[in-house]
Amino acid sequence: MKRILDRSDERILAELTRNARIPHAELAEKVHLSRNAVRQRIERLERDGLIQGYTIVVGEGKPRASAIAAMMFVYRHDRMRGGDVIQALKRVPEVVSCDVMSGEFDLVVRVEASAADRIREIWQEVSAWPGVRDTLTAFALSSMIKR
């Protein structure tokens, strides 16, 4: 059953999207609810799958390990019954997204790793899977929009 969000749920999600670390008391003030009501709503949104995780986005100018990004275009042997490939991709921690596509290729997979050698290892692994017919890999030269 699809859950309908009320205005308070929408405001909570909007505020958490801006700052996932906002204290419940501050969030409660912004959305005009009690701290306990906010906590309960967040727990429900997590249970219902509307909040599926939290992440860290490193801001510009902050020291960080360099990341190498590659797009892997995957052609499966059977695009209708090739779910085993997607399940295997879910187990690769460097895979940050996987989209099923219409058109020429089956999957677009974004891989982010700290070194090009690790991208090569992942490419070799994916290419050897029984459900994969072929791959095409392109490295990102720069990231212009990242949300």
Side-chain angles (χ1 to χ4, degrees):
M1 181 176 127
K2 188 172 179 170
R3 178 154 186 38
I4 297 176
L5 299 178
D6 65 17
R7 185 76 180 123
S8 293
D9 289 338
E10 290 172 354
R11 288 194 325 244
I12 288 170
L13 287 172
E15 290 298 329
L16 288 173
T17 299
R18 275 190 278 288
N19 178 7
R21 295 192 58 180
I22 187 171
H24 286 170
E26 187 179 335
L27 179 57
E29 191 174 306
K30 286 182 180 250
V31 299
H32 308 292
L33 292 172
S34 72
R35 188 176 69 189
N36 192 45
V38 165
R39 182 188 53 77
Q40 289 175 350
R41 283 175 179 261
I42 290 172
E43 288 172 358
R44 181 180 35 78
L45 292 166
E46 289 171 343
R47 247 188 343 269
D48 291 349
L50 290 159
I51 297 175
Q52 295 187 348
Y54 300 89
T55 189
I56 295 172
V57 177
V58 178
E60 293 301 315
K62 303 285 189 221
R64 62 177 161 161
S66 61
I68 311 248
M71 299 302 288
M72 203 176 291
F73 304 93
V74 178
Y75 301 84
R76 295 177 291 176
H77 284 294
D78 186 341
R79 74 187 318 176
M80 297 308 291
R81 290 182 289 278
D84 54 330
V85 174
I86 295 170
Q87 292 306 313
L89 286 166
K90 287 180 180 179
R91 292 189 292 272
V92 178
E94 292 87 353
V95 170
V96 296
S97 69
C98 174
D99 297 306
V100 176
M101 305 300 291
S102 65
E104 183 183 348
F105 39 84
D106 301 332
L107 304 173
V108 175
V109 180
R110 183 173 176 91
V111 179
E112 293 182 4
S114 59
D117 283 345
R118 179 61 184 140
I119 300 275
R120 181 185 47 76
E121 290 170 0
I122 294 166
W123 167 75
Q124 287 174 325
E125 182 182 334
V126 170
S127 296
W129 291 343
V132 174
R133 180 171 44 90
D134 197 7
T135 63
L136 173 72
T137 304
F139 282 87
L141 298 176
S142 63
S143 181
M144 303 309 290
I145 300 173
K146 190 159 187 172
R147 298 186 177 139

